[in-house]
């Protein structure tokens, strides 16, 4: 049974997500449809890229992923389909796939060219569904598009490192449901630059000298529970996707607050890591 996933900024109020599912079922009644998210912030390429990168490889090989963000066709926003890591992706060529493609090279990319056969003002419904169902039936990418070599890059996907290798300057690419702030600094990249040195993570006026393994590392469990006051404490972790994340322990935007609300951090805000010189030891 084919699996088709949906990642969009449609939200839950409007008919768009439901109509897209209905169109898929009309073509393939036995297909399995999985919603990854319909709550991407409108037109947010970094958010969509982060979500799909961290979700797709939990699905079986051969899964087809429709990514419906900023998908209106125009001369600067063409539609593409690609095979990567034995998965298929159907989306606009607007940078969404560049985060995944920076780590795994696509096996094949095509620029979709079936638009002359389809009248549409809703490309996710009319074009992306047709392409996804074609692939689900065993169709090849060559039938629905012409091969291209490159995709459009996304800005600020790679953190900046100064010439002295003493500082990484990254940016916020995602804020999760808990208000945790995710940066574009990945663990492997961090460790390559760090080379065992001490460091300080800075975001606005907040500074952290330790990156924890998990959120509850900030809790001293030897202290009686009634004497702990850890909720609302700021911390830094590498999250499950391997991204540097600034968080608040047991955050809640309506009570203790969150990293985003308490620190005033939003999408594309700067987060830096400064490395300290290693002292000579006799």
């Amino acid at each position: 049974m084919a699996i088709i996933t949906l990642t969009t900024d449609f939200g839950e109020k409007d008919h768009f997500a439901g109509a897209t599912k209905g169109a898929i079922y009309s073509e393939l009644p036995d297909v399995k449809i999985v919603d990854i998210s319909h709550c991407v912030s409108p037109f947010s390429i970094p958010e969509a890229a982060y979500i799909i990168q961290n979700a797709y490889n939990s699905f079986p090989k051969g899964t087809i992923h429709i990514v419906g963000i900023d998908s209106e066709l125009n001369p600067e926003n063409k539609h593409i389909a690609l095979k990567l890591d034995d998965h298929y992706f159907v989306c606009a060529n607007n940078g969404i796939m560049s985060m995944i493609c920076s780590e795994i090279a696509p096996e094949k990319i095509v620029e979709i060219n079936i638009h002359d056969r389809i009248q549409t003002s809703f490309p996710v419904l009319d074009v992306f569904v047709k392409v996804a169902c074609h692939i689900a039936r065993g169709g090849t990418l060559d039938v629905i598009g012409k091969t291209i070599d490159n995709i459009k890059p996304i800005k600020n996907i790679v953190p900046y490192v100064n010439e002295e290798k003493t500082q990484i300057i990254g940016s916020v690419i995602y804020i999760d449901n808990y208000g945790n702030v995710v940066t574009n600094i990945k663990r492997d990249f961090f460790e390559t630059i760090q080379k065992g040195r001490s460091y300080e993570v800075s975001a606005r006026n907040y500074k952290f000298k330790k990156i924890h393994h998990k959120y509850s590392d900030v809790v001293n469990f030897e202290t009686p529970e009634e004497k702990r006051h850890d909720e609302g404490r700021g911390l830094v972790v590498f999250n499950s996707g391997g991204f540097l994340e600034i968080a608040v322990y047991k955050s809640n935007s309506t009570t203790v607050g969150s990293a985003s609300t308490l620190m005033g951090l939003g999408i594309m805000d700067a987060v830096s890591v400064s490395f300290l010189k290693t002292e000579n030891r006799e």
Side-chain angles (χ1 to χ4, degrees), residues 43-139:
F43 303 101
S44 179
I45 304 303
E47 279 192 33
Y50 175 79
I51 289 170
I52 195 66
Q53 180 178 31
N54 284 281
Y56 89 89
N57 57 6
S58 293
F59 290 87
K61 301 291 187 180
T63 297
I64 303 146
H65 306 278
I66 293 177
V67 188
I69 311 291
D70 188 27
S71 55
E72 183 174 277
L73 182 69
N74 63 54
E76 296 180 353
N77 200 43
K78 301 295 182 66
H79 295 159
I80 57 173
L82 59 155
K83 184 178 182 183
L84 180 150
D85 198 19
D86 289 326
H87 290 249
Y88 294 90
F89 300 85
V90 185
C91 58
N93 190 10
N94 53 18
I96 283 175
M97 291 305 301
S98 59
M99 187 178 290
I100 303 176
C101 291
S102 68
E103 298 184 354
I104 303 174
E107 299 166 48
K108 189 175 184 65
I109 314 169
V110 300
E111 186 177 290
I112 298 169
N113 60 9
I114 63 171
H115 303 88
D116 58 336
R117 292 171 252 165
I118 300 171
Q119 294 292 324
T120 181
S121 60
F122 187 175
V124 174
L125 178 74
D126 300 319
V127 179
F128 292 4
V129 166
K130 292 287 185 188
V131 171
C133 290
H134 165 77
I135 297 169
R137 294 190 188 98

Side-chain angles (χ1 to χ4, degrees), residues 3 17 23 43 76 117 119 123 126 128 135-136 162 171 176 180 191 193 195 213-214 242 245 251 262:
I3 300 174
F43 303 101
E76 296 180 353
R117 292 171 252 165
Q119 294 292 324
D126 300 319
F128 292 4
I135 297 169
N162 66 358
S171 55
D176 70 14
N180 298 327
E191 292 176 348
I193 305 301
K195 299 187 183 302
H213 295 289
K214 57 184 185 295
E245 176 181 302
S251 58
L262 293 174

Side-chain angles (χ1 to χ4, degrees), residues 159-162 165-171 183-187 189-191 193-195 197-203 206-211 236-238 244-246 270-276:
Y160 168 80
V161 181
N162 66 358
K165 300 291 192 296
T166 58
Q167 188 176 52
I168 299 173
I169 300 177
S171 55
T183 76
N184 59 349
I185 303 171
K186 296 206 73 173
R187 181 197 294 268
F189 183 85
F190 172 90
E191 292 176 348
I193 305 301
Q194 178 195 15
K195 299 187 183 302
R197 292 177 290 179
S198 300
Y199 54 82
E200 184 176 76
V201 179
S202 301
Y206 296 86
K207 299 183 184 300
F208 304 88
K209 296 183 181 295
K210 184 173 183 179
I211 299 174
V236 178
V237 297
F238 282 112
L244 185 76
E245 176 181 302
I246 300 174
V271 174
S272 65
V273 182
S274 298
F275 296 103
L276 309 178

